[in-house]
Amino acid sequence: MQLTVDISKYPLADNYIEPIKGFIEQLHRHDGLHIITNTLSTQVFGDYDTVMAALQDCIKWSFQEYGKVVFVCKFLHGDLRP
């Protein structure tokens, strides 16, 4: 099953660019994902299990690395790449 996830990350810190870039870099370390970033969000496309495992790993890493952050995610069935 294919999955599309639209993710917005809101670091609760003055220096918010570094935690966002770090999260995106961590996502790119996972094979099997197609990732599109823009000024509002990051979109991740791929196999359901692959995407969910990558998100679990990257969100945990982000909390450990940067502390308090807010993630807003939308999960959509299917590969909805533009």
Side-chain angles (χ1 to χ4, degrees):
M1 173 180 12
Q2 294 297 301
L3 181 66
T4 296
V5 183
D6 183 73
I7 307 164
S8 296
K9 178 180 178 179
Y10 302 99
L12 301 177
D14 291 335
N15 178 16
Y16 60 89
I17 298 294
E18 181 183 332
I20 293 170
K21 286 185 176 182
F23 177 74
I24 294 167
E25 289 170 4
Q26 288 296 313
L27 281 174
H28 279 285
R29 293 181 181 184
H30 291 267
D31 293 330
L33 303 179
H34 182 81
I35 302 165
I36 298 174
T37 59
N38 60 53
T39 56
L40 296 176
S41 66
T42 298
Q43 298 169 347
V44 182
F45 309 87
D47 174 73
Y48 179 90
D49 292 329
T50 302
V51 171
M52 294 302 288
L55 288 178
Q56 180 178 351
D57 180 61
C58 293
I59 290 171
K60 181 178 181 178
W61 174 87
S62 188
F63 288 148
Q64 291 172 335
E65 187 72 20
Y66 298 108
K68 294 182 180 178
V69 298
V70 175
F71 286 94
V72 176
C73 303
K74 297 178 214 167
F75 296 85
L76 298 98
H77 180 265
D79 186 334
L80 302 177
R81 288 179 236 197

